């Protein structure tokens, strides 16, 4: 980092002090750090503790759990990698961090959580003897209305960050369908899945080139609830892609 860049970082921290992505407290103790922080020390400890949660189905830690929701399995997904449990009805560090990602376009916050996801994916790639060079990272695109309101597509930024950290390639393979941009998160049952399958379409890309260069496709989303969005995107990709499809998410709603 050059001297000018360091000075700019210090000035930015002085005039626009960074806040914790979870509790909102100023991160004043890190003003002179060259690496921006996303969480205060107390919230970082809570985040690390949340990562120790276990899957209610198999009993493994979530980072080691390979339980696959039925819709994802039917869509051709090989595995779902997730980091923490998410409950939208309960206040937690995980919930507050997810909301921060959806609302604020912070380099420090996205840098931190992208690195967390990259480490999770790296463990899986090592476990399956998969080279980073054979991995292509893509994402579940956010709806246009929410994108215009917040100015950020959190899944895209996370996917780009993961690709940068691991040295993988990144591509935009899925687009939002026009006329089906409404939110389906408030829908229930079959209506939610039916809407999700209409909400996405394949982007223009060279199918032959992708199949020739990559053996693993990583589909990134910030949080998984029913898995409808991931399943819809995977269903578009699976018939055209000859390798494995892996879903990667920060949080997963756990069901008993």
């Amino acid at each position: 980092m050059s001297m000018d860049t360091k000075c700019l970082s210090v000035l930015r921290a002085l005039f626009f002090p960074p806040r914790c992505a979870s509790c909102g407290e100023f991160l004043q103790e890190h003003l002179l750090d060259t690496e921006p922080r996303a969480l205060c020390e107390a919230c970082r400890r809570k985040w690390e503790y949340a990562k120790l949660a276990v899957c209610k189905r198999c009993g493994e830690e979530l980072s080691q759990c390979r339980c696959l929701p039925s819709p994802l399995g039917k869509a051709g997904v090989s595995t779902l990698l997730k980091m923490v449990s998410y409950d939208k009805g309960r206040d937690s560090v995980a919930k507050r961090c997810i909301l921060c990602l959806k609302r604020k376009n912070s380099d420090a916050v996205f840098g931190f959580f992208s690195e967390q996801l990259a480490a999770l994916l790296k463990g899986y790639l090592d476990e399956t003897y998969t080279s980073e060079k054979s991995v292509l990272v893509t994402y579940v695109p956010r709806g246009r209305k929410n994108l215009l309101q917040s100015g950020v597509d959190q899944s895209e930024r996370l996917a780009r960050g993961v690709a940068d950290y691991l040295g993988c390639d990144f591509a935009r393979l899925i687009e939002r369908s026009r006329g089906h941009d409404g939110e389906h998160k408030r829908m229930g049952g079959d209506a939610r899945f039916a809407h999700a399958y209409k909400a996405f379409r394949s982007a223009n890309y060279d199918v032959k080139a992708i199949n020739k260069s990559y053996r693993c496709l990583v589909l990134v989303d910030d949080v998984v609830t029913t898995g409808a969005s991931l399943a819809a995107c995977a269903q578009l990709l699976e018939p055209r892609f000859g390798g494995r499809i892996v879903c990667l998410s920060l949080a997963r709603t756990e069901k008993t």
Side-chain angles (χ1 to χ4, degrees):
M1 183 181 293
S2 68
M3 184 60 67
D4 288 343
T5 303
K6 289 182 180 179
C7 291
L8 183 61
S9 298
V10 171
L11 289 173
R12 186 184 295 114
L14 287 171
F15 289 102
F16 304 99
R19 291 177 178 269
C20 173
S22 175
C23 68
E25 292 294 323
F26 287 115
L27 301 179
Q28 294 178 340
E29 66 272 29
H30 302 303
L31 284 176
L32 299 180
D33 268 359
T34 56
E35 295 296 329
R37 305 295 179 93
L39 298 172
C40 66
E41 295 300 327
C43 290
R44 177 63 185 271
R45 288 194 294 270
K46 292 178 181 178
W47 172 257
E48 294 299 328
Y49 181 75
K51 289 162 60 176
L52 299 177
V54 298
C55 173
K56 295 178 180 179
R57 294 176 61 187
C58 68
E60 294 283 349
E61 287 187 11
L62 288 181
S63 61
Q64 300 299 316
C65 167
R66 298 295 181 261
C67 293
L68 190 64
S70 177
L72 295 185
K74 292 178 180 179
V77 174
S78 174
T79 191
L80 169 64
L81 304 175
K82 58 273 185 186
M83 189 162 289
V84 298
S85 179
Y86 177 81
D87 183 349
K88 65 179 181 180
R90 182 174 65 88
D91 185 42
S92 65
V93 64
K95 178 182 178 180
R96 293 193 297 269
C97 288
I98 294 295
L99 290 177
C100 181
L101 289 170
K102 292 178 182 293
R103 297 171 180 172
K104 296 182 180 180
N105 196 1
S106 166
D107 291 341
V109 173
F110 277 103
F112 172 78
F113 288 108
S114 293
E115 186 175 14
Q116 293 274 299
L117 282 177
L120 178 63
L121 178 58
K122 173 64 174 173
Y124 171 78
L125 296 180
D126 290 345
E127 174 187 318
T128 55
Y129 303 99
T130 305
S131 168
E132 289 86 344
K133 297 301 181 183
S134 67
V135 175
L136 181 64
V137 181
T138 190
Y139 67 101
V140 176
R142 194 174 194 183
R144 294 182 183 88
K145 182 179 178 180
N146 284 333
L147 184 58
L148 288 173
Q149 289 177 345
S150 66
V152 59
D153 188 323
Q154 70 277 8
S155 295
E156 179 181 7
R157 287 215 59 180
L158 289 171
R160 289 183 181 275
V162 168
D164 287 342
Y165 272 108
L166 294 182
C168 303
D169 288 336
F170 169 88
R172 186 169 184 259
L173 304 182
I174 301 293
E175 296 177 345
R176 280 277 178 166
S177 300
R178 296 188 180 278
H180 296 281
D181 197 43
E183 286 295 313
H184 60 260
K185 64 183 179 181
R186 299 184 187 278
M187 300 177 183
D190 295 337
R192 181 171 186 146
F193 280 89
H195 182 274
Y197 286 116
K198 296 178 181 178
F200 304 98
R201 65 183 183 186
S202 294
N204 291 325
Y205 59 90
D206 190 333
V207 177
K208 291 183 178 180
I210 285 179
N211 278 308
K212 181 179 179 180
S213 302
Y214 308 104
R215 301 311 303 161
C216 181
L217 182 62
V218 177
L219 183 59
V220 177
D221 203 0
D222 60 332
V223 59
V224 181
T225 49
T226 63
S229 294
L230 281 170
C233 292
Q235 191 174 64
L236 288 171
L237 297 168
E238 193 272 337
R240 310 178 77 185
F241 183 65
R244 283 174 291 141
I245 298 178
V246 174
C247 291
L248 177 66
S249 177
L250 275 174
R252 164 83 164 102
T253 298
E254 291 299 301
K255 298 180 181 179
T256 54

